[in-house]
Each structure stands twice: as structure tokens, then as C-alpha cells.
Amino acid sequence: MVEKIINEIKVRFENDSSGHDWFHIERVWRMANFIQEKEGGDKEIVELAALLHDISDHKMNGGILNHGGTVATEILTKFNLSKDKILRIAEIIDQVSFKGANVSDKPTSLEAKIVQDADRLDAIGAIGIGRAFAYGGSKNRLMYDPAIPPTSHTSFEEYAKSKSHTINHFHEKLLLLKDRLHTETAKNIGKQRELFLKDFLEQFMNEWNFNNLEK
Ligand code: ADP
Ligand code: NI
């Protein structure tokens, strides 16, 4: 079953250049499995929710919010899974995504926490930086504009609509993620990735402002 679902997902994500390619899904799936081995929870639910977590993201489906659970249910109904399991997986998918600095997004089950942690770890560190600029490029965004400060969004709609430069995304989302990880396993991995993000930002600003150059 997992193999069939992977094939179905691969086709849908093949041509994405916004940071939501199949390799993102694969990393989240592998990371979720890694965290589940250490933290426990239902392996099948973790694995399927991780594979399907971005199946209908609002940034790629024309702006429909919270639609992933419905699409995942359609796919999973084709397989021999209990209704209860499908419901639990769909619930995780609707809980996983980041919805803005001041919007609560608390996952309710251990499995949801694991999938959200795995997804968030892929948004920070070197790969997270690469994904942010790839996403910004795909939307014709500037890397940075010092005249436009970051915003602290208070609703998902407002966050989803925002069209800022990519450096703002670090302040509006990426730097907030470390403190929103749930499992100890993910927190340990997140610490190092967050340091890397901060080093990157410092270096970026130094280069932008011609700091520390020999006269
Ligand atoms: P995820 O796949 O982790 O749920 P998202 O769907 O929010 O994350 O975004 C996919 C990738 O694109 C992530 O690496 C995220 O940081 C990046 N991204 C999302 N929104 C923006 C933005 N406004 N500017 C730059 N990068 C973004
Ligand atoms: Ni994702």
C-alpha cells in the first residue's frame, strides 16, 4: 500500500519548483519514521500522514485552506484501511501546516506532533534556506528589501495572503519553528539547524551592509 501511495504522490509533485517537490515529501517521510522509532506512536498513521501531508496545500491548490484532509481521505478510501485510521490521518493533515506567527496550530495526537515536527525540520537548516529562496523565486519575490519590515500575522488568511520578500519569511516563520517543535528528538535536531539559520542571516546582513570589510 505504501508503495502505491508513493507512486500516486510522485506523479502529483513531479514538476514543483516551490519547495514542495517529491524530495521534500520523501525527507519528511524519512524524518517522521526516524522520530516515530524514538518517540513511539502508530507507525502506519505517521508514515501515511507524512506522505500525504502536502497533498493539497493552499499555496498550490489555488488558495483553498484546509483541503488536504479531504483529498487524503479520497486517496486512502481506495485502500484497505479502517475508517477510524483514515479519520485520524486526515485530521493530522489538516493540523500540520504553519498558519502564521500568532495563530495557534496545536496538533492533538502524538502522530500529528511527529509529522508536524518532521515537516518543520525540513523548513529550517540548509535545506530550509534553499527551499525559502526557491519558493520566493517561484513567486517572483525579492530576496530582501530593507524598507519592508516583517509582520506578525494574526490569522491564517492574512499569513496566506502576505507577499513579502524572502528574508521576512525567516522572521515570520522559520525562526519561530524551533520553539514550536514538540518531540525531544526533533528539538535536538532543530537546535543545530536554528543556529545555522541565524549564522546565515548574520552573514547575509553583513554582506548586504558591507560590514566587516577591510578599509
Ligand atoms: P511545509 O511544506 O513545511 O508545510 P510550507 O507549505 O509553508 O511548508 O512551505 C513550503 C516551503 O516554502 C517551506 O520551506 C517554507 O519555508 C517555504 N515558504 C513558504 N512560504 C514562504 C514565503 N512566503 N517566502 C519564502 N518561503 C516560503
Ligand atoms: Ni511539507
Side-chain angles (χ1 to χ4, degrees):
M1 175 177 59
V2 169
E3 213 168 295
K4 285 195 184 136
I5 291 179
I6 288 177
N7 287 336
E8 185 148 351
I9 294 169
K10 266 190 184 164
V11 180
R12 297 187 189 223
F13 286 90
E14 223 151 29
N15 296 316
D16 182 80
S17 57
S18 69
H20 275 108
D21 51 290
W22 157 250
F23 293 111
H24 162 67
I25 309 295
E26 187 182 40
R27 287 189 301 270
V28 173
W29 172 47
R30 292 180 63 186
M31 183 63 87
N33 286 343
F34 176 82
I35 299 174
Q36 188 276 328
E37 271 168 30
K38 299 200 179 270
E39 304 273 341
D42 185 310
K43 182 171 165 47
E44 188 171 47
I45 290 182
V46 166
E47 181 161 49
L48 294 176
L51 283 169
L52 289 162
H53 83 274
D54 271 337
I55 199 71
S56 183
D57 190 273
H58 66 98
K59 291 189 281 344
M60 300 165 70
N61 70 12
I64 318 169
L65 304 180
N66 293 325
H67 189 240
T70 313
V71 179
T73 305
E74 278 163 24
I75 295 175
L76 291 172
T77 309
K78 293 187 248 167
F79 298 93
N80 187 21
L81 271 174
S82 72
K83 270 213 168 109
D84 172 61
K85 257 197 176 166
I86 297 180
L87 266 177
R88 286 171 64 190
I89 294 169
E91 180 186 73
I92 296 176
I93 293 167
D94 285 333
Q95 289 177 346
V96 159
S97 91
F98 182 83
K99 301 182 173 69
N102 292 326
V103 187
S104 150
D105 53 9
K106 293 225 162 49
T108 43
S109 60
L110 172 60
E111 291 82 3
K113 290 177 184 164
I114 291 174
V115 176
Q116 193 176 60
D117 279 0
D119 192 32
R120 290 182 165 176
L121 285 175
D122 207 53
I124 56 179
I127 288 180
I129 294 171
R131 290 178 73 215
F133 287 103
Y135 181 92
S138 79
K139 300 275 178 192
N140 286 324
R141 307 247 172 100
L142 281 179
M143 286 200 293
Y144 179 48
D145 179 348
I148 306 175
T151 324
S152 199
H153 300 110
T154 51
S155 79
F156 186 23
E157 286 74 15
E158 199 192 311
Y159 171 74
K161 266 200 332 239
S162 144
K163 289 196 171 68
S164 203
H165 56 80
T166 302
I167 289 293
N168 271 352
H169 187 66
F170 283 69
H171 301 285
E172 291 167 359
K173 173 179 171 187
L174 306 185
L175 290 169
L176 309 175
L177 292 181
K178 182 186 67 101
D179 292 332
R180 296 195 186 195
L181 295 170
H182 311 282
T183 64
E184 284 312 308
T185 309
K187 284 180 192 169
N188 278 332
I189 302 168
K191 252 185 244 157
Q192 190 266 338
R193 294 192 183 187
E194 154 116 345
L195 287 179
F196 191 82
L197 274 190
K198 288 189 165 157
D199 279 352
F200 171 84
L201 272 183
E202 192 181 315
Q203 174 83 11
F204 187 100
M205 290 308 159
N206 280 338
E207 292 179 17
W208 191 278
N209 296 315
F210 284 77
N211 291 340
N212 313 327
L213 293 181
E214 275 182 38
K215 296 256 157 66

